[in-house]
C-alpha cells in the first residue's frame, strides 16, 4: 500500500465522486496559483495563492480549539478588522500551505505568520492586514516559512482565473482527492456564481469549521450579511460532520465575495435575494463537507445518522454525535455488522434526554428496535445485506419531541490506524 502522506493520489477513496475534480465556474475578481515549496511533500504543489479583487468582502469561521494555530489567530484578528470596514477598497489574498500546521510553535509561529504576510503584501502590492494565511499538516514543528516566501514570485506569475483546481491540490495532506464544488443562481434576473475548495480527511470533528475551506463568489452582498450566512450554514454543514471525533488546531473556512455580479446588493438574508444566496452557498458548503467525510482516512462507507423525536436541539445533536463518533459503532459498520446494541449504547451515554421504552432504531428502511426492544418484524439477514452498501443511514427516534439533527460520518477501518500510526515517519 502506498502511504497517503507521500502520494495522496495513489489510492483514491472508494467513496470519491465520479469524474474527478468538477468543472467550476470562473469567479470574476479571483485568481489562483499553486507551487511546490518542499515544506514536507516533494514533487507536488504544497502552497496555494488566491488574489481577491479590491472592494471585496470576506467572512469566515474558525476552530474553537484552545490550541489554535498561529494563522488561525491571525485570521481572526484580520477578519474582525474587515468587519469594521478597515481598508475595504484594497485587494485581498489567501495564502495556504500543506505539510505543516504552524500550530503549537509559540513565537516562531507568530514570526512565520508576520514574515509571510509581509512578503506576500509586497509581492501583490496590498496591505499585510489583507493577507489571510492558513496552514495544515504536522503540529508542533516550526514552519519553514522562507520556503513559502521563496515561491511568491512563481505564484504571482502563475495567477489565473482558471487555476482553482491546482489550488485545491496544493492544500491536501492525507486526502486522496482534491475537493471542489460550485453553484450558479440568479437574483432579480442577474446571475451570480460560487466556487469552493476544501481539504480534510482526518482530525475531523469540527467545532466552528472544518480543516481548510475557501469559497469564492461574485455575488454582491454586504459583509455583515455574508458573515451571517456563513455562520448559519456552517452549523448544518461543516459542524455536522465527523471522521474521528478530533477537532483540528487549524480549522478555517474563508468566504470571499467580489461583488462583481450586476445583481442588487444583498443586505437582508430574509429578502428573496438573501434566501436565494443562502440556498446556493448552502449547496456548496454541504457538498464540500460531505466530500470530506467521504475521504475520511481509511473510509469505506459513508454514514448518515438521523436523530428525530428529541425534546430539544441539544439532545438531538448530542445523540447523533455520540452515535457518529462511537468507535464501536464505526467499527461494526466497517465489519458490516448490524450491531444495533452499540447504537443503544451510544444514545444512552450521550447525555441526551432519552427513554429506553420510547426509543426506536432503523437501518435505512429496516426497523430494528422499538419500544425498548427488538422489533417483531426485524430480520437479521436483511440487515446484514443492507450493511454491505457503500452509503448507509442510521435512524434513531427518541419519541420525546419534535427536534431533530443529522450528522454525517464514515466507518473506521484498519487503514485509519495505519495512516495515523506513521503520520510523521
Amino acid at each position: 500500500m502506498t502511504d497517503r502522506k507521500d502520494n495522496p493520489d495513489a489510492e483514491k477513496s472508494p467513496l470519491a465522486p465520479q469524474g474527478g475534480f468538477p468543472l467550476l465556474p470562473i469567479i470574476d475578481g479571483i485568481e489562483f496559483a499553486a507551487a511546490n515549496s518542499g515544506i514536507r511533500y516533494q514533487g507536488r504543489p504544497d502552497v496555494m495563492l488566491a488574489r481577491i479583487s479590491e472592494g471585496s468582502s470576506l467572512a469566515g469561521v474558525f476552530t474553537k480549539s484552545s490550541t489554535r494555530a498561529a494563522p488561525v489567530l491571525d485570521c481572526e484578528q484580520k477578519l474582525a478588522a474587515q468587519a469594521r470596514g478597515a481598508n475595504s477598497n484594497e485587494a485581498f489574498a489567501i495564502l495556504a500551505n500543506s505539510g505543516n500546521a504552524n500550530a503549537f510553535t509559540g513565537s516562531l509561529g507568530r514570526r512565520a505568520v508576520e514574515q509571510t504576510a509581509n512578503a506576500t503584501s509586497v509581492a501583490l502590492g496590498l496591505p499585510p492586514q489583507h493577507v489571510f494565511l492558513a496552514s495544515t499538516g504536522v503540529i508542533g514543528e516550526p514552519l519553514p516559512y522562507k520556503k513559502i516566501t521563496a515561491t511568491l514570485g512563481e505564484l504571482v506569475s502563475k495567477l489565473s482565473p482558471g487555476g482553482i483546481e491546482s489550488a485545491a491540490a496544493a492544500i491536501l495532506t492525507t486526502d486522496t482527492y482534491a475537493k471542489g464544488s460550485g453553484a450558479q443562481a440568479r437574483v432579480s434576473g442577474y446571475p451570480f456564481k460560487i466556487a469552493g475548495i476544501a481539504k480534510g480527511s482526518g482530525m475531523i470533528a469540527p467545532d466552528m469549521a472544518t480543516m481548510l475551506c475557501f469559497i469564492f463568489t461574485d455575488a454582491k452582498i454586504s459583509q455583515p450579511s455574508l458573515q451571517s450566512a456563513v455562520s448559519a450554514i456552517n452549523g448544518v454543514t461543516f459542524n455536522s460532520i465527523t471522521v474521528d471525533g478530533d477537532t483540528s488546531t487549524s480549522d478555517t473556512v474563508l468566504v470571499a465575495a467580489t461583488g462583481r455580479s450586476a445583481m442588487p446588493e444583498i443586505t437582508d438574508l430574509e429578502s428573496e435575494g438573501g434566501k436565494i444566496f443562502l440556498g446556493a452557498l448552502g449547496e456548496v458548503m454541504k457538498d464540500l463537507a460531505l466530500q470530506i467525510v467521504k475521504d475520511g482516512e481509511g473510509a469505506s462507507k459513508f454514514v448518515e445518522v438521523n436523530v428525530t423525536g428529541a425534546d430539544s436541539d441539544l439532545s438531538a445533536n448530542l445523540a447523533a454525535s455520540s452515535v457518529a463518533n462511537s468507535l464501536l459503532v464505526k467499527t461494526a459498520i466497517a465489519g458490516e455488522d448490524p450491531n444495533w446494541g452499540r447504537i443503544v449504547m451510544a444514545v444512552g451515554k450521550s447525555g441526551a434526554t432519552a427513554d429506553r421504552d420510547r426509543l426506536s432504531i432503523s437501518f435505512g428502511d429496516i426497523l430494528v428496535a422499538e419500544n425498548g426492544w427488538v422489533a417483531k418484524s426485524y430480520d437479521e439477514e436483511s440487515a446484514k445485506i443492507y450493511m454491505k452498501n457503500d452509503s448507509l443511514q442510521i435512524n434513531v427516534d427518541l419519541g420525546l419531541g419534535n427536534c431533530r439533527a443529522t450528522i454525517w460520518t464514515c466507518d473506521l477501518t484498519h487503514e485509519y490506524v495505519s495512516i495515523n500510526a506513521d503520520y510523521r515517519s
Side-chain angles (χ1 to χ4, degrees):
M1 179 182 296
T2 302
D3 191 336
R4 298 208 307 189
K5 77 178 191 303
D6 293 324
N7 187 355
D9 293 321
E11 296 180 10
K12 284 192 177 182
S13 165
L15 305 173
Q18 299 298 310
F21 194 82
L23 181 63
L24 300 182
I26 299 293
I27 306 300
D28 190 10
I30 308 291
E31 296 175 292
F32 303 93
N36 176 227
S37 71
I39 293 172
R40 181 173 176 82
Y41 309 115
Q42 303 299 324
R44 69 175 179 91
D46 60 0
V47 181
M48 65 138 291
L49 174 66
R51 180 164 60 186
I52 303 161
S53 62
E54 64 278 358
S56 298
S57 297
L58 265 69
V61 285
F62 307 91
T63 180
K64 290 182 179 177
S65 169
S66 297
T67 54
R68 297 193 294 285
V72 172
L73 296 172
D74 186 64
C75 280
E76 288 178 322
Q77 295 173 359
K78 290 175 177 176
L79 193 62
Q82 162 70 179
R84 295 192 297 269
N87 297 318
S88 59
N89 291 325
E90 299 279 0
F92 293 89
I94 296 174
L95 183 72
N97 73 271
S98 60
N100 184 305
N102 194 14
F104 206 65
T105 47
S107 60
L108 292 177
R110 292 190 292 273
R111 176 174 172 76
V113 166
E114 179 182 347
Q115 293 298 314
T116 305
N118 287 341
T120 305
S121 73
V122 171
L124 292 176
L126 49 83
Q129 283 295 108
H130 277 214
V131 177
F132 286 75
L133 304 177
S135 299
T136 179
V138 174
I139 295 170
E141 295 181 2
L143 176 68
Y145 68 88
K146 290 183 180 179
K147 290 186 176 182
I148 297 175
T149 57
T151 68
L152 284 170
E154 178 186 355
L155 287 167
V156 173
S157 69
K158 285 183 174 179
L159 282 168
S160 165
I164 193 168
E165 183 174 357
S166 61
I171 57 177
L172 306 184
T173 52
T174 58
D175 307 62
T176 67
Y177 62 90
K179 301 165 185 67
S181 184
Q184 301 186 54
R186 289 178 176 270
V187 171
S188 299
Y190 296 99
F192 69 90
K193 305 172 184 177
I194 303 175
I197 58 175
K199 67 83 51 182
S201 189
M203 204 182 289
I204 301 293
D207 187 10
M208 194 59 175
T210 191
M211 292 292 286
L212 295 183
C213 176
F214 308 120
I215 299 174
F216 309 90
T217 179
D218 61 357
K220 192 173 294 180
I221 181 170
S222 68
Q223 198 282 332
S225 294
L226 182 63
Q227 182 62 59
S228 294
V230 174
S231 297
I233 297 169
N234 176 67
V236 293
T237 55
F238 295 124
N239 263 9
S240 293
I241 61 173
T242 179
V243 168
D244 47 23
D246 288 324
T247 296
S248 170
T249 60
S250 306
D251 295 347
T252 298
V253 172
L254 288 172
V255 181
T258 66
R260 296 289 185 93
S261 167
M263 63 186 277
E265 183 179 28
I266 296 171
T267 58
D268 179 8
L269 294 179
E270 294 297 320
S271 67
E272 180 181 357
K275 291 176 181 177
I276 292 171
F277 179 77
L278 280 170
L281 181 62
E283 177 184 330
V284 171
M285 289 175 68
K286 181 179 178 180
D287 185 21
L288 291 172
L290 297 191
Q291 285 191 53
I292 288 171
V293 173
K294 291 176 180 179
D295 200 19
E297 290 172 340
S300 67
K301 295 183 185 295
F302 172 74
V303 186
E304 180 177 284
V305 179
N306 297 303
V307 170
T308 56
D311 66 348
S312 68
D313 291 336
L314 175 61
S315 279
N317 275 287
L318 285 172
S321 297
S322 183
V323 172
N325 282 318
S326 169
L327 299 184
L328 289 176
V329 171
K330 290 161 75 71
T331 50
I333 292 169
E336 300 180 343
D337 177 12
N339 191 339
W340 55 273
R342 293 182 176 181
I343 297 168
V344 173
M345 172 279 300
V347 172
K349 74 166 187 175
S350 68
T353 303
D355 183 335
R356 179 198 62 194
D357 295 332
R358 296 189 181 190
L359 190 68
S360 66
I361 299 169
S362 64
F363 295 135
D365 295 331
I366 301 171
L367 181 63
V368 176
E370 62 180 343
N371 302 321
W373 190 245
V374 63
K376 292 181 179 179
S377 62
Y378 177 59
D379 176 55
E380 180 85 358
E381 290 305 313
S382 295
K384 286 181 178 180
I385 292 171
Y386 177 76
M387 297 300 287
K388 294 183 181 297
N389 292 324
D390 290 340
S391 295
L392 302 170
Q393 271 192 354
I394 297 175
N395 303 310
V396 177
D397 191 274
L398 300 178
L400 299 173
N402 298 314
C403 296
R404 61 177 59 230
T406 297
I407 301 289
W408 294 280
T409 189
C410 58
D411 58 346
L412 182 64
T413 67
H414 292 288
E415 189 183 352
Y416 179 88
V417 177
S418 299
I419 291 167
N420 285 284
D422 67 351
Y423 180 63
R424 297 198 307 151
S425 60

